[in-house]
Amino acid sequence: MQFTSEQRFDDGVLEREFALGEIPGILWTPGSASAPAPLILVGHPGGLRHMYPRLVARARHAAAEGFAAATIELPGSGGRPRWAAAEEARADLRRALEAGEPVDDEIVDRLVLPLVEKAVPEWRAALDDLLALPEIGGPVGYSGGVIAIGIRLAVVEPRISAALLFAGSFVPRTMFEEARQITIPLQVLLQWDDEGNDRQLALNLFDAFGSKEKTLHANMGGHTGVPQFEGDDGNRFFARHLK
């Protein structure tokens, strides 16, 4: 991991951009930390520059409670190389949504499964380097989407102690079996009127999660209408499990 730039905000939070090989990422650390901070991995649907305003707001909100936060660019997004199969699947998905047609499972599989296979090892490699920093002490949480990436990480990465999953993206039905293997505490955020999300599929997925402690937060509104108080609830969730 190589740090490439840094800036400090007026609340004391230090933001550092880094490169993990060819993978760009951002790390935020609280300014007043007197001990190594627990870490939250900030998931998102891709495009760091496009997502930056929301990512930095989430990270600074977490830093105010003493958490470090980090994210990386997803495969095939931002300035990273595209792959033709994913672009074709994304176009098919967009056509189905615009036509108001059901999204075929085959389209979801073509789009999401290769992304999970590529992204999860990269998240784990980033976690290796982040936990080697003296200012990061663990334990680790995962917060955000793509929810399928969060599911896989929760199953295969023992260093993740809790996850706050955003139910705003399609999940291959083959991953429901993985969801049943999850045992860490979960909090799932669902926007009831999310125009790009299959609500019933999200409810079925929540039912499938194997965790003994799992909570569903469902709010009215579309994909970008998440109430501000959910940020405070998320911090309280992680405070219970990461501190």
Side-chain angles (χ1 to χ4, degrees), residues 76 82-91 110-111 114:
R82 304 299 195 261
W83 67 93
E87 293 296 300
E88 181 180 345
R90 188 173 290 108
R110 285 192 289 122
L111 178 62

Side-chain angles (χ1 to χ4, degrees), residues 158-228:
R159 292 172 292 185
I160 293 179
S161 302
L164 171 55
L165 302 177
F166 294 7
S169 55
F170 290 92
V171 179
R173 295 182 190 275
T174 55
M175 293 196 68
F176 274 55
E177 186 54 42
E178 292 185 53
R180 294 184 180 93
Q181 299 174 39
I182 295 176
T183 58
I184 62 173
L186 294 180
Q187 187 163 298
V188 180
L189 183 59
L190 170 64
Q191 286 301 103
W192 201 249
D193 306 303
D194 192 334
E195 53 278 9
N197 188 39
D198 185 329
R199 181 197 302 163
Q200 189 57 55
L201 187 70
L203 294 173
N204 293 344
L205 179 64
F206 179 79
D207 188 51
F209 286 131
S211 301
K212 291 182 178 180
E213 181 185 335
K214 58 180 180 179
T215 305
L216 177 66
H217 285 209
N219 295 287
M220 304 303 293
H223 188 77
T224 58
V226 179
Q228 290 189 354

Side-chain angles (χ1 to χ4, degrees), residues 1-70:
M1 175 180 290
Q2 180 179 359
F3 289 105
T4 57
S5 69
E6 69 174 55
Q7 65 171 323
R8 190 175 294 277
F9 298 110
D10 54 10
D11 56 2
V13 174
L14 178 63
E15 175 186 276
R16 285 174 287 176
E17 297 188 8
F18 63 82
L20 186 68
E22 298 181 353
I23 306 167
I26 310 174
L27 170 65
W28 297 270
T29 47
S32 58
S34 58
L39 175 66
I40 297 175
L41 302 178
V42 183
H44 61 94
L48 274 183
R49 291 303 150 207
H50 173 71
M51 292 293 301
Y52 177 80
R54 279 183 275 175
L55 293 172
V56 69
R58 288 164 58 192
R60 292 176 72 177
H61 193 72
E65 299 300 322
F67 299 109

